[in-house]
Amino acid sequence: MDWKLLATTFGTLFVAELGDKTQLACMLMTAKTQKPWTVFLGSSLALVLVSFLGVMFANFICQYIPPEIIKKVAAVSFVVMGCLIFFDKI
């Protein structure tokens, strides 16, 4: 196992997820239901499944498209989404 990659992935996603809408949704659901362990289990399973699908999709798509192109498309997509949000289009 590549421990450096594991630590980098964990650290990157941990920081990226802090305070995002997923965490806020979990806080709201816990406050509403008063069942923190059930919300934790459900949200953990959902995040694992979404991560699995992302990794499998990337593994498939990288067989046909170079990672550099995917990186550039993702960067442009984030800029476009940011502009749309900034100008209240979405």
Side-chain angles (χ1 to χ4, degrees):
M1 177 174 291
D2 186 343
W3 292 102
K4 183 178 180 183
L5 177 59
L6 177 72
T8 301
T9 303
F10 175 83
T12 301
L13 292 175
F14 183 81
V15 170
E17 293 296 322
L18 282 176
D20 83 336
K21 63 185 181 292
T22 305
Q23 187 179 28
L24 297 174
C26 290
M27 291 168 59
L28 179 63
M29 292 178 81
T30 300
K32 185 177 181 180
T33 64
Q34 296 297 308
K35 296 184 178 183
W37 291 109
T38 305
V39 173
F40 173 73
L41 182 60
S43 64
S44 296
L45 292 173
L47 289 172
V48 167
L49 179 59
V50 167
S51 297
F52 174 76
L53 292 174
V55 168
M56 291 298 108
F57 179 73
N59 188 47
F60 171 77
I61 201 76
C62 285
Q63 295 174 11
Y64 305 102
I65 302 172
E68 296 79 25
I69 293 175
I70 294 171
K71 184 178 179 181
K72 289 179 179 168
V73 168
V76 169
S77 298
F78 275 108
V79 169
V80 169
M81 285 188 288
C83 289
L84 289 172
I85 291 168
F86 182 79
F87 292 109
D88 290 325
K89 300 296 180 183
I90 55 174

